[in-house]
Amino acid sequence: MTHPLTEINHRLGGIAYGGDYNPEQWPRDIWHEDVRLMREAGVNLVTLGVFSWSRIQPRPGAYDWSLHDEVLDLLHAHGIAVDLATPTAAPPPWFTRQHPEARPVTASGTRLAPGSRQVFCPSSPAYAEAADAVVTELAARYADHPAVALWHVHNEWGNHNALCYCDVSADAFRSWLHERYKNLETLNEAWGTDFWSQRYADWEEIEPPRDTTAFRNPGQELDYRRFSSDALLQRHRSEVAVLRRITPHLPITTNVMGTLEKKIDGHAFATECDLVSIDHYLPAADPDGHIDLALNADLARGMAGGRPWMLMEHSTSAVNWQPVNVAKQPGETRRNSLTHLARGADAVMFFQWRQSRAGAEKWHSAMLPHGGTDSRVWKETSALGAELASLQEVTGTRVRSDLALLFDWHNWWALELQARPSGEFRYLDAVRDWYEALWSQNITCDLVAPGTDLTSYRAVVAPALYLLSEQDAAHLSDYVERGGHLAVGCFSGVVDEYDRMWQGSHPGALREVLGLVVDEYLPLRPHERVRLEDGTHVRQWTERVEPRGCATYLRFADAADGGPARGGPAITRHAFGNGTAWYAAARLPAPSLQALLRALSDEAGIAPVIPASAGVEAVRRIGDRESYLFLINHTEESVRVPVVGEELGTAEIRNGEAVVPPGGAVVIRETAAPVSPHPKRTFT
Ligand code: GAL
């Protein structure tokens, strides 16, 4: 079956290109200018109506479709397709006035006021009714409009309101717990409520983990996060059900936020869409923000099960919500866009088409900035549109990864609960360490959930997999036993899915497969450095490991600067069944982590896309007949890379070498088939 995004691209005649379109912010004559300029920029798809609820339904029960009617017709007449949004991310003023009880409440008991967006409690029955009603009317009205190519459900579920602590949420939490645990005894056991005399004798005694005197119960906190993500997932499902009933012919997506959003289990939402889309914004404080971009793109592809995915939002230049909003450099948006494309995106979209004149996001960049067409951003936007059109043949091809990196929101929530060994040890930092060590060697990986079928991967890496259920632990052991290669980062396999310690020595869930026990976790003081035998230095985290069958690959220095685990194993390798399991007993510095990953990849038969060259990113997309090599140069020097292939788009090949200009990116259609450097792995 053809993937829905491939079908959309087929209809559009190329890669989907465009952005959020908010015509309600502008008078009618501007709409005409908009469509003309959209054509000029190569825009073929826009997301319409994300924040249009107060226009569509100005009063309870009263609908006004005039704007949508006119704009949809106008767009269609100009050959621009529409990703039609349900407007439920911004309930209108009449709703919040009529239903003050539906406004979300913070952990300290403050009921939030209207005047922003997502001002609703995820468990509010009044919101559910109003949202489903407007979605029903919208779907019925435009079911057969020829401009509509797909549905965009809500906008970034839970971005602002995921955690609500009101009484309605408390009731819904109790029902959710009842469903999960069936009886109080099981709940008491799971949450360890005998600690600090928290044993519950009645469901009504349970409250959300509101602000309290000291540490909250971690089991309660973790379940509240799960419940909160599920409450919004219920809302998502409800909108999806309406859309499926009325428009079964239209595909559905919702824009998830990848690692930008801790509160929402992105995997759960991605599974409930016909096609996966994500938003990504560069963190300005990160000098290597492009690595965060690549990581999120690989997460999107992992969530999409390797199929094409949409980049629903990114920015043409500065955003307006970071402490300092740095403008993008000339060429940066192009590089970012081609990186997403390289990593499997078949749609490149922005927030937003025209920069707002008023409102909270007037300082956020757009495809058409305040300065209009006489601006750098506009020139780059239209050049990018033309370039993407020339890369049309890439759509539908796939990125193939032989390595999976396990990424899990539940684990993220658990690892960062209160009262743990080191408040400095953050989940995303650990994930980034491992990802970056792969990225810098041009080893492509999919970021997937721990329960994913791993049989097609030659190797799996699991950074800081602190929370591990019995089932997922068995899944990993089984993977290794049957011939897989696994590398596990420090502070993994420590607690079960209720945040209760696995019994016996650490790491309870993984002792056997790793062939070791951790005698003690030994976090370091801020600024403390511990030397490894290879001369590099560890910060933040070490462990005292006792081998129980594993071999030691690298040790902490056996000297005063070797830290609290001096002379002990820092990296181990264990032959287990037909495979191997590696362990890093520290937050390893880049060179040691890279060495570990090189050894793992060699053993697993995984080759980099091209040999590593500092600052040059290489990714390959593979089709039925051709493959496409993307080379992205993050340095300020021109780089030459040997290739066997032809130029595509703006690429230039001289004497068998692709020339990648400083800060540039090129795409090569490969003629000699490096389609699979290794046959796919087969399990014994
Ligand atoms: C996203 C959101 C957009 C816009 C954008 C600004 O989180 O979906 O509506 O606010 O951020 O960067």
Side-chain angles (χ1 to χ4, degrees), residues 322-385:
Q322 299 187 5
V324 176
N325 296 299
V326 177
K328 286 192 182 176
Q329 289 293 305
E332 195 171 352
T333 300
R334 171 178 182 268
R335 211 160 57 235
N336 295 161
S337 301
L338 291 186
T339 309
H340 283 293
L341 183 68
R343 294 181 181 276
D346 270 357
V348 175
M349 309 279 288
F350 292 94
F351 176 83
Q352 62 178 328
W353 160 252
R354 184 186 277 272
Q355 190 166 16
S356 300
R357 177 171 186 195
E361 294 187 317
K362 61 183 178 300
W363 279 108
H364 195 292
S365 60
M367 299 172 85
L368 182 60
H370 291 143
T373 53
D374 187 20
S375 61
R376 172 190 73 79
V377 165
W378 170 259
K379 284 174 195 137
E380 290 200 17
T381 299
S382 30
L384 180 61

Side-chain angles (χ1 to χ4, degrees), residues 51 117 155-156 159 255 279 281 313 319 321 351 361 364:
F51 299 111
R117 61 179 173 181
N155 188 67
E156 296 188 339
N159 182 357
N255 47 343
D279 297 346
Y281 291 96
E313 290 181 22
V319 300
W321 45 265
F351 176 83
E361 294 187 317
H364 195 292

Side-chain angles (χ1 to χ4, degrees), residues 301-466:
R301 192 181 61 252
M303 292 197 283
R307 290 179 284 275
W309 53 276
M310 285 183 89
L311 172 65
M312 187 59 88
E313 290 181 22
H314 71 152
S315 67
T316 57
S317 189
V319 300
N320 68 328
W321 45 265
Q322 299 187 5
V324 176
N325 296 299
V326 177
K328 286 192 182 176
Q329 289 293 305
E332 195 171 352
T333 300
R334 171 178 182 268
R335 211 160 57 235
N336 295 161
S337 301
L338 291 186
T339 309
H340 283 293
L341 183 68
R343 294 181 181 276
D346 270 357
V348 175
M349 309 279 288
F350 292 94
F351 176 83
Q352 62 178 328
W353 160 252
R354 184 186 277 272
Q355 190 166 16
S356 300
R357 177 171 186 195
E361 294 187 317
K362 61 183 178 300
W363 279 108
H364 195 292
S365 60
M367 299 172 85
L368 182 60
H370 291 143
T373 53
D374 187 20
S375 61
R376 172 190 73 79
V377 165
W378 170 259
K379 284 174 195 137
E380 290 200 17
T381 299
S382 30
L384 180 61
E387 182 166 11
L388 290 176
S390 75
L391 297 175
Q392 177 184 342
E393 66 186 77
V394 170
T395 61
T397 61
R398 306 273 173 100
V399 175
R400 182 147 104 218
S401 160
D402 286 328
L403 194 145
L405 186 151
L406 302 186
F407 186 86
D408 182 28
W409 270 269
H410 297 240
N411 179 56
W412 184 358
W413 300 332
L415 189 142
E416 297 185 358
L417 287 166
Q418 298 171 308
R420 58 187 192 278
S422 169
E424 310 240 309
F425 189 93
R426 314 285 299 186
Y427 181 55
L428 287 188
D429 292 343
V431 169
R432 171 67 176 262
D433 286 352
W434 287 74
Y435 182 82
E436 191 163 337
L438 292 163
W439 182 92
S440 61
Q441 298 181 79
N442 288 319
I443 296 175
T444 311
C445 68
D446 295 339
L447 272 70
V448 299
T452 306
D453 177 6
L454 299 170
T455 46
S456 68
Y457 295 107
R458 292 169 167 268
V460 173
V461 303
L465 198 54
Y466 163 77

